[in-house]
Amino acid sequence: GIASHAAIAIEKASLFQAAQQEIETRKKAEQSLNKSEARFREFAEVGSDLLWETDERFRITSIVGDSRAVFGLTEEELIGKTAWEFAKADVASADWKQHIADHEAKQPFRNFEYQIVDRNGAMRWISTNGRPYFDQHGNFLGLRGSSTNIAARKHARHGAQRPQLGF
């Protein structure tokens, strides 16, 4: 009778209220996630000139930012190449040997500084940070990191002397 209909109505109202609360909770979580993603993007943009990702063989696969401002090279000139390839680095030098060994050991690195000659023949100083990333099974997928053009800082530190090629 009436009591069972009332119980069913109360149960439906209770379920409806629970569903509304679940929707509100999800909306708040989504808003929080969107806010967090926006904050991360802003930090990344402020913290470096360029973000990059490599494949498991350390070849650049994606770039976020202005590669011309940092490297003086287009994205097309960077994609598919390792840093030591596009920098035309002396891979026999101690610094680059260690840097490549860190890559192969899947070690993170911070503030690795190197010189690069841009497409106009001008010397640039780059500082780069990177860390390995893996899939859900622990398989190495490559490196993700950031690079910054530090030429102004280097030139200020060394006065007006022209930078020398070499490591």
Side-chain angles (χ1 to χ4, degrees), residues 107-124:
Q107 293 297 308
F109 53 92
R110 290 200 55 74
N111 301 320
F112 178 71
E113 296 181 359
Y114 61 96
Q115 292 175 306
I116 183 171
V117 177
D118 71 17
R119 59 190 357 230
N120 298 321
M123 183 64 63
R124 292 175 185 239

Side-chain angles (χ1 to χ4, degrees), residues 9-151:
I10 290 170
E11 180 64 24
K12 284 184 177 179
S14 174
L15 287 172
F16 181 73
Q17 187 177 11
Q20 276 187 314
Q21 287 175 335
E22 176 65 23
I23 289 168
E24 279 304 308
T25 300
R26 286 180 184 225
K27 279 184 183 175
K28 285 180 182 171
E30 188 175 332
Q31 288 170 344
S32 178
L33 180 61
N34 289 341
K35 186 177 176 183
S36 180
E37 285 177 355
R39 278 183 71 212
F40 174 76
R41 265 195 309 277
E42 289 171 10
F43 279 128
E45 288 169 5
V46 170
S48 66
D49 294 335
L50 182 122
L51 302 175
W52 49 261
E53 190 171 271
T54 74
D55 63 15
E56 72 283 355
R57 292 176 57 206
F58 318 117
R59 296 172 301 204
I60 300 285
T61 57
S62 68
I63 291 172
V64 177
D66 186 354
S67 65
R68 286 188 177 149
V70 177
F71 298 110
L73 301 170
T74 65
E75 214 172 291
E76 294 75 29
E77 291 173 291
L78 301 170
I79 298 290
K81 295 190 175 105
T82 64
W84 47 93
E85 288 171 340
F86 67 73
K88 298 179 174 61
D90 175 6
V91 294
S93 73
D95 287 347
W96 276 101
K97 273 186 182 176
Q98 183 60 56
H99 188 59
I100 294 168
D102 287 345
H103 278 52
E104 291 168 349
K106 300 169 183 66
Q107 293 297 308
F109 53 92
R110 290 200 55 74
N111 301 320
F112 178 71
E113 296 181 359
Y114 61 96
Q115 292 175 306
I116 183 171
V117 177
D118 71 17
R119 59 190 357 230
N120 298 321
M123 183 64 63
R124 292 175 185 239
W125 276 96
I126 308 299
S127 176
T128 192
N129 303 308
R131 63 179 318 135
Y133 69 100
F134 303 87
D135 68 14
Q136 66 271 27
H137 305 293
N139 298 310
F140 177 69
L141 297 177
L143 298 166
R144 288 184 178 133
S146 62
S147 294
T148 302
N149 181 337
I150 58 166

